[in-house]
Amino acid sequence: MAKVPKGVGLTRQYRAAGQLIQAENGSWHVDIGKLYLTFPFSYNFASAFNEEFVTCFKWIKKQHKKPSTDPPVLWNDLLIRFHAVRIEVGDDPFEVKLRDNYELLEDEYFESQKRLQVLDNKINQLYRTNLLMSSSKVDELRKQLQEKSASIYIQRSRKLYQNHLQRTHLLLWELEEIQFVTMADPSMFGPEKLKVLIQELDSDSPWPIEGLEFSTLWSRYVRFQVHKWKVQLRDFPQPLMDSKDILFWGKLAAGEVEAHKRALRTCEVEIGGPFDIDSVERSLNSLKWYFDLNCDVTSLSVAFGPCWEPVLAQCNLSFENIFPASKDPSRPLPFWDKIRLLFHGRLCIAVTTLTHLLHASLNPYNTTEEMEVTWTDVAIAWTNGKILFDGDLDIYVRTASKYDDCRMIHLPCIRLTFKLNWVCLADGNDHHAVQPCAPDKLPEYSSNQEHDSYRAFRSQHLNMNISLDTKSTRSPSYPKAILYGSTLRWFENLKLILSGTTRPTRRGVLFRNTRPKKIPISRHYKKIRLSISLNRFHVCYWVSFSMQSGIEINNGKISSCSEHQLFLQPLSDGLIHRPKAEWSVVYVNTELNETDIWLQSAQSQDPSMITKPIEKFFFMSIDKLSYGRESLLGNSESLDGNRIESPQHRLVVHELKGAWTKNNRDVAFSLFDSFVKVQQLKKNLSTEALKSFFSKHDAPTGSPLKKSDNGDPKKGRQGEVTSPTGNSQRSQVGSSPLSSFQGQNAAASSLLQKLISEAESRGVVFSEDLTAPPPQQSLHGLAQSSLDDVIHQKWLIELVNCQVLLKGCETGGYVIVSAAKAHILQREHKPVWKHGTIVPKTTWVGSLEGMQYYATVAVGINDNTPEENIQWVTVENIEERDTTTISNVPEMVGSGQSVGGVVSETVGASSDETDVSVQLQRIISRCKCEFFYTTYGETGVDKIPSGIPDIPPAPTDLELWDETNKPVEAFTLMHYDLNIFTNSVQYTMIMDIVNNLVLYVDPKRKEAFEKLQRLRFKLQLQSTEAQRRPIQQLQNHLRALVNQQRRLEKETYLIQKAQFEDANSEMLQAQRSALEQQVNESKELVAAKGEELHMMIMCYKETKLAATQRLSRKRENKDVSLVRVYEICFKHAQWRLTQTDGQLGIADLVLSNFLYTKTAKSDDSVEHLSELGYITVTNLLPNQIYKDVLVPSHIHVSMPVDRQRTLRVFCRDRPPVGGIAVKEHFEINIAPITIGMTYQFFKTLFKFCFPEKDPEKLDEVDPNAPADSDATSLSGFVNSNTLDSQLPSNLGTLSAGSTMSLPNPGGTGKLKRHRYKKKESKFYVAMSEKDDVEKMKERAERNMLFICVKIPEVPVRVSYKGEKEKNIEDVHDVHLIIPTLEYNNITWTWLDFLVAVRNHSKRVLLSQAIKQKLQIWPKALAWSDKDAGPQEEDKAKMLLGLSGEPKKKSLFGSKK
């Protein structure tokens, strides 16, 4: 230590840098080599220093200090140097020894395993030389080894601290090369100047009007420099803080306000005899710091993690013995309020590299699993209530695998601002008003309430505004994010670790620490507002590091603003809990502009290639996307009870352009498959995979609102086979009017007997009463979505002027589907009663308005058209407008907005030959589509969302008959008027899109399904317990494989790190290549075993579910109820088939009132119902004799259009038996039809549907083609005699009214029989190398059991004109009757069924056609007037069927 004179100028350069008034000043120089400070464990340093040392020091000043009359003199400067400083906080010796003992045990375990292995090797050698060595000798050797290992452990434990010292520190501060300089200046000297300086440094705090008097007040210009600063927790390898080259400089002031009477406490001083005990008054006011500091840091690293929280809690307990607590009896201030009270001013920090490490492991000694947040060239400004970060932000994921050092997010030139709004009872900045109070001087009003000296200053909660925005710079760098599938899964693990609850550390009566727990800062927030603004953002996602498939998103400007609010909900369950923290979203407003989404795939699938060429495919682009969310707090209903229609979530998308092509399909399926497999593996390896579960068909239990069933337990049989026209079916899907004129072939003796015989069938006939609702109003989805019981609207999705491109695989060109406006609305309804239990109800309602379909017109378009050259439909052609207005010349030439119009940017042919412009034709004009979906949540009152008015009453008996309004999960799709206009090329293109894009099934999924089917048959004869054990064994094996894969990845990571140090090592490169190959093989093995495990668990659950359902059906005798309903209908559709030019018509097809219903019931049966109200086919070819190709006959002129039925198909499926599908009831009803066909129309229509085939060569079939191909047999364009040879031998039991007989082996069937091979039966599988399971699976796939098949007779009028002027096959207005067909209990394939129907109908129709051609019908049955309407007898036939005696039909007439 030395005093330097003023003239030497030791601090001259520092004073010049600080722009001080006085250039030179005298100084003291202190140089200290090493400084060690140690705070032993459980030593109360605060009491010894603050209560004893400081009190004695103040007592000495009180006794010996004399008032000075000399004027104050400027203080000298002070320069202190430390070469090393070590500050240590002691740890508990018991925990130190506990950790050391654990490490010793771990090491001794591995050493004992090595000794055991050596002993086993020696025993094996002895066995080779001495085969008669007894097992007792081996056991004795093993026992001696165990005793020796125990003695070695004891010896090592005793010598544990002989070689190295025991660790003593809990928290360790190490500083190197410290230099601290304080400089006084006349501008900061004197009470008045210091008060002015304090007001400048703390300008936000109000200065008292009466002023302040300070007992301690000083200010210096300081400079603090340290070369290295490190903070260590225990012996963790990762330091808590590590920084280098730190430099602080600026103004620093400190002041302690003079205490008033209540803020003075009396401290006694024991002087010793013969003196009495003296006392000293000490102030309770704290010393406050005022500063304006700047700081430069080269590198700063801070680490934190949940695994360190127990140690940090131990440090806080140790700090209570180091830093004295306030003697004020008020509740202690939390640390954030202490900072607000003691520190005021501005701090600016410039850091070259600022790193925050967040541990993602529960092991505090782990250094490989962590997330790194790095700021580069960052400037940090900390002022009153505001913290600002300005620099480049990078987020890395550190993990011991190939994904290590993966930069996940890069945000250059980013500005992150935190604005803190402390909500207090008074002004949060008025810290001068805080006056502590001594325990013995409390005011009188504190006697009846808890005293709090900080009541007005203490913050109630914190409102924080966080803003993140990018500065507009010309730098080519922009925000980016690179994500991998494994990193997202790693973040799930990190989220699980961070959300864990911290265990209490040294709390409770045992540790003499019963103080209330401090509230963490995470529960002190009240509102957080987050705003993000980015000029551009790029996101790239890859499934794995091999970059086989991924997604790339390019975003333009992104802006988002949201507010979140925290509620602390108290729990009242009889136990002591802290309030539950619940975050809620007040509002969210997000907007994205100019967003492009691309799917990426590697061109090379070779895993050995490190860098692979990447190919990108356009998937979607969005011009503008806006999302808004509002809180439901008090917004569900208004005061008068009316619902507020504003939805909670609102998503609006403008000008969306999407593409679905073959490449997009493959990449999307790959992404989805990888996601599904990862989730399946995670779920199947969990302990919840094989736990017991309840079937959804079980009766709900546990609900206090369950209604008892007092009805008659004797109900109708569930498995009873009934006609779909019966009462049970009519109550659900309704009866068809076709039954009014589709009579039975078995004639009745009289009209009265016919009515009596059909009384039980309850057939429905046409009525002219128009009060019945149309079929659309009886749809389940529409009816349940239209109920007026909506609580609030949750989601509203709107699409404005959107279009989607569809491009097939086998044809050129593409189809564009556009919609002017689409909206999807999700609503939550009042809870309803379902199966005697209250359940929540949710509906989705959507509509697409202004839908249009466009297709390319030209033939021979390049199939590999790049996505950027696609001619999209302009907004003018998508949005709604007047269709009669033509705005420009191209619309005038292209037929404007009508169907069939051509959309093109040019008029006529282009003069530029290189310009290949694409013309789009409107193939479907503007139409509308709606869908309705209703779903119900889990049973129980606790599953119902809060905020409902009240629980509805239970349904009455009358309401139980309302099948439409019963709570059933339903989906309804409604399409209104469709006006279609296509040519042959567009038709082929649409079929290509439907087959290869819409209905495409991934071959891998087909293969997996086949494996699943095989496994189902294999496990049919095994019990659930027999299936459970192999699943558990495979789970353990798969867990071992996953651990092995992680071990190999970690070894690869270590070798990769070693390569950075020695890049030219061939040995390391060979080891890395071998490990990477092992990792790839391990991944493939894990994927294969994971798929096998998933199939085994699925079969196990199916078996268990089937057993549960059987027991449930035996226990309970309930009616069969609806479970799920799917409905598809459209009102009117008109399809014009045109020539290749797209303008000249071929035919018009008109369909109306189409309805398809699929109903799933509680007994696992499924019913399918298809109805078609009206159909007509018109011939548009010139000079055709017949214009009406297909039209229904005998339709009543006054019958409403909504109630017409031309076609009805009904099918009821039972659960498969032994894998074979069961068709319980299959019925087809067809109205009388009239057919008028010409050969020219047939040939033109055939060329339209099959342009690659020649209609003149239909009878020429390739003899090499497989004869058993279903596709060939079902195409309908092969020789008709082919099916004669394929007639099954067993046709089942025919009905009494059927005229079917076995096929005649002779006749025309022999002419071309040599061209085809005889088809073998599909029920009996040929004997080959297939095992029994494969035979069962193949048999079940091919066959199905038809319990009841019924096809009533259909009257048909046929007219046909051949190719020539006169043809032998020409017929005109021939009346034919397709006979009634009925089969019972027969096993067929679909091909066998069609063959039987075709052969039977062909034989009967052929005989009728010959009779009509030769006009040899009996006179009694001759048609008197073909053009006149039906007579009364005809009406009776239509209603009841033929009457009279049963007749035997022959080839040329009937016999009585």
Side-chain angles (χ1 to χ4, degrees), residues 39-211:
F39 300 94
F41 176 74
S42 71
Y43 173 69
N44 196 344
F45 173 80
S47 177
F49 178 80
N50 187 64
E51 295 300 321
E52 298 180 8
F53 176 77
V54 176
T55 302
C56 292
F57 180 76
K58 288 184 176 293
W59 179 81
I60 293 174
K61 286 179 61 178
K62 173 184 175 182
Q63 299 296 328
H64 302 283
K65 186 178 180 181
K66 298 179 180 179
S68 177
T69 58
D70 299 333
V73 181
L74 186 65
W75 288 79
N76 291 328
D77 299 342
L78 177 63
L79 189 149
I80 304 176
R81 285 193 178 98
F82 297 93
H83 295 283
V85 175
R86 179 186 176 96
I87 304 175
E88 178 181 324
V89 178
D91 197 1
D92 188 355
F94 173 75
E95 295 192 8
V96 174
K97 293 181 179 180
L98 198 63
R99 173 64 189 177
D100 294 339
N101 189 40
Y102 170 78
E103 292 179 352
L104 178 61
L105 276 173
E106 185 179 15
D107 182 71
E108 182 59 29
Y109 169 77
F110 292 111
E111 293 296 331
S112 62
Q113 293 296 320
K114 294 179 182 179
R115 300 189 201 104
L116 182 61
Q117 186 177 2
V118 173
L119 177 62
D120 292 339
N121 294 336
K122 290 184 178 181
I123 291 175
N124 293 332
Q125 293 178 2
L126 292 176
Y127 269 123
R128 295 174 184 174
T129 58
N130 186 8
L131 299 177
L132 300 179
M133 188 174 61
S134 62
S135 59
S136 60
K137 181 66 174 178
V138 176
D139 295 340
E140 183 180 357
L141 291 175
R142 295 181 185 275
K143 184 177 181 180
Q144 292 177 0
L145 179 62
Q146 291 180 357
E147 294 176 354
K148 185 64 176 177
S149 298
S151 64
I152 291 175
Y153 169 70
I154 295 174
Q155 294 176 7
R156 294 184 62 184
S157 177
R158 292 174 179 175
K159 300 179 182 180
L160 183 62
Y161 299 111
Q162 292 182 2
N163 297 328
H164 66 279
L165 296 178
Q166 180 180 355
R167 176 182 58 84
T168 58
H169 68 270
L170 172 68
L171 178 66
L172 177 63
W173 286 37
E174 292 180 337
L175 296 90
E176 297 179 1
E177 301 299 332
I178 306 171
Q179 180 177 327
F180 181 69
V181 181
T182 64
M183 293 168 283
D185 190 74
S187 60
M188 300 180 291
F189 187 72
E192 300 301 327
K193 292 182 180 181
L194 289 177
K195 292 179 181 179
V196 174
L197 178 62
I198 288 177
Q199 296 183 43
E200 292 177 357
L201 297 178
D202 186 18
S203 58
D204 295 333
S205 300
W207 192 262
I209 300 177
E210 63 276 7

Side-chain angles (χ1 to χ4, degrees), residues 701-885:
T701 58
S703 174
L705 300 177
K706 184 173 180 180
K707 181 183 176 182
S708 60
D709 187 8
N710 299 325
D712 188 6
K714 297 182 180 181
K715 306 291 182 181
R717 290 187 306 164
Q718 298 179 5
E720 185 178 0
V721 179
T722 59
S723 173
T725 57
N727 186 25
S728 62
Q729 176 63 22
R730 185 192 49 158
S731 63
Q732 298 173 9
V733 296
S735 303
S736 172
L738 293 171
S739 59
S740 62
F741 49 84
Q742 295 176 358
Q744 305 292 333
N745 285 337
S749 59
S750 64
L751 181 62
L752 180 60
Q753 291 180 354
K754 190 67 177 180
L755 292 174
I756 294 175
S757 63
E758 292 189 357
E760 295 182 358
S761 64
R762 299 186 182 183
V764 180
V765 298
F766 163 68
S767 173
E768 296 185 0
D769 185 10
L770 304 181
T771 58
Q776 287 80 0
Q777 296 184 8
S778 61
L779 299 176
H780 289 79
L782 177 60
Q784 298 188 39
S785 301
S786 303
L787 298 178
D788 191 14
D789 58 349
V790 179
I791 300 177
H792 73 275
Q793 299 178 359
K794 193 170 184 179
W795 270 94
L796 176 60
I797 304 174
E798 294 182 339
L799 306 177
V800 181
N801 298 333
C802 299
Q803 51 186 316
V804 177
L805 178 140
L806 304 173
K807 183 177 176 60
C809 308
E810 302 172 356
T811 59
Y814 48 85
V815 174
I816 295 180
V817 182
S818 66
K821 185 179 180 181
H823 75 274
I824 303 172
L825 179 63
Q826 182 194 14
R827 304 178 298 184
E828 291 187 357
H829 297 249
K830 296 179 181 179
V832 297
W833 287 87
K834 184 178 180 181
H835 302 302
T837 308
I838 286 289
V839 294
K841 175 183 175 183
T842 304
T843 59
W844 290 82
V845 179
S847 68
L848 288 83
E849 300 178 359
M851 288 185 61
Q852 299 180 88
Y853 293 73
Y854 295 86
T856 53
V857 180
V859 182
I861 299 177
N862 185 12
D863 190 33
N864 297 323
T865 304
E867 285 78 2
E868 58 269 14
N869 295 333
I870 293 175
Q871 179 181 337
W872 296 96
V873 182
T874 60
V875 178
E876 291 77 10
N877 290 317
I878 298 177
E879 60 187 4
E880 293 282 358
R881 61 174 182 169
D882 188 5
T883 58
T884 60
T885 304

Side-chain angles (χ1 to χ4, degrees), residues 616-634:
K616 299 195 304 184
F617 310 103
F618 174 79
F619 179 65
M620 186 183 298
S621 68
I622 299 174
D623 184 70
K624 180 182 177 182
L625 183 146
S626 60
Y627 168 75
R629 176 176 177 176
E630 298 180 359
S631 176
L632 291 178
L633 301 176

Side-chain angles (χ1 to χ4, degrees), residues 223-456:
R223 178 183 175 89
F224 176 78
Q225 185 175 3
V226 58
H227 175 65
K228 186 177 181 181
W229 189 352
K230 184 178 180 180
V231 181
Q232 189 78 29
L233 289 176
R234 285 184 173 170
D235 57 343
F236 298 157
Q238 186 76 49
L240 179 64
M241 187 191 74
D242 189 6
S243 59
K244 295 181 181 179
D245 299 333
I246 304 175
L247 175 62
F248 282 93
W249 75 93
K251 297 179 181 180
L252 178 64
E256 179 180 332
V257 179
E258 186 175 345
H260 59 85
K261 294 182 180 181
R262 294 186 183 274
L264 293 174
R265 66 186 180 97
T266 303
C267 298
E268 296 181 349
V269 180
E270 294 183 2
I271 305 174
F275 302 100
D276 296 333
I277 297 177
D278 200 355
S279 63
V280 177
E281 287 189 346
R282 297 184 57 184
S283 173
L284 291 178
N285 289 333
S286 302
L287 184 66
K288 300 179 182 179
W289 301 85
Y290 306 87
F291 50 86
D292 183 4
L293 298 175
N294 300 308
C295 178
D296 283 341
V297 183
T298 302
S299 66
L300 175 61
S301 175
V302 180
F304 178 74
C307 57
W308 286 3
E309 289 186 357
V311 183
L312 295 176
Q314 180 69 23
C315 293
N316 291 332
L317 294 177
S318 299
F319 289 156
E320 293 179 357
N321 292 330
I322 298 175
F323 302 102
S326 176
K327 299 301 180 180
D328 191 292
S330 304
R331 183 161 47 95
L333 284 176
F335 74 90
W336 52 85
D337 286 338
K338 287 183 179 179
I339 293 175
R340 294 173 48 235
L341 179 65
L342 302 179
F343 299 97
H344 312 278
R346 182 183 66 91
L347 175 62
C348 296
I349 306 174
V351 187
T352 305
T353 303
L354 174 61
T355 304
H356 178 221
L357 299 175
L358 183 61
H359 284 262
S361 173
L362 295 178
N363 182 10
Y365 294 89
N366 186 285
T367 59
T368 58
E369 300 293 329
E370 55 191 12
M371 184 179 70
E372 177 182 324
V373 180
T374 302
W375 288 87
T376 306
D377 297 331
V378 59
I380 306 174
W382 178 19
T383 57
N384 183 27
K386 184 177 180 181
I387 303 175
L388 174 66
F389 292 81
D390 194 344
D392 297 341
L393 176 62
D394 296 320
I395 299 179
Y396 296 85
V397 172
R398 305 293 186 188
T399 176
S401 66
K402 64 179 69 176
Y403 301 96
D404 185 69
D405 199 21
C406 170
R407 188 176 69 176
M408 187 180 61
I409 296 178
H410 172 60
L411 300 175
C413 303
I414 203 75
R415 175 174 293 177
L416 179 61
T417 306
F418 298 90
K419 294 183 179 179
L420 311 178
N421 181 19
W422 304 96
V423 179
C424 307
L425 297 179
D427 188 357
N429 296 322
D430 190 7
H431 59 91
H432 300 296
V434 176
Q435 294 294 335
C437 187
D440 55 344
K441 299 178 181 179
L442 296 179
E444 296 180 358
Y445 64 83
S446 299
S447 59
N448 56 0
Q449 62 179 348
E450 182 183 2
H451 174 76
D452 190 359
S453 301
Y454 312 100
R455 190 186 307 275

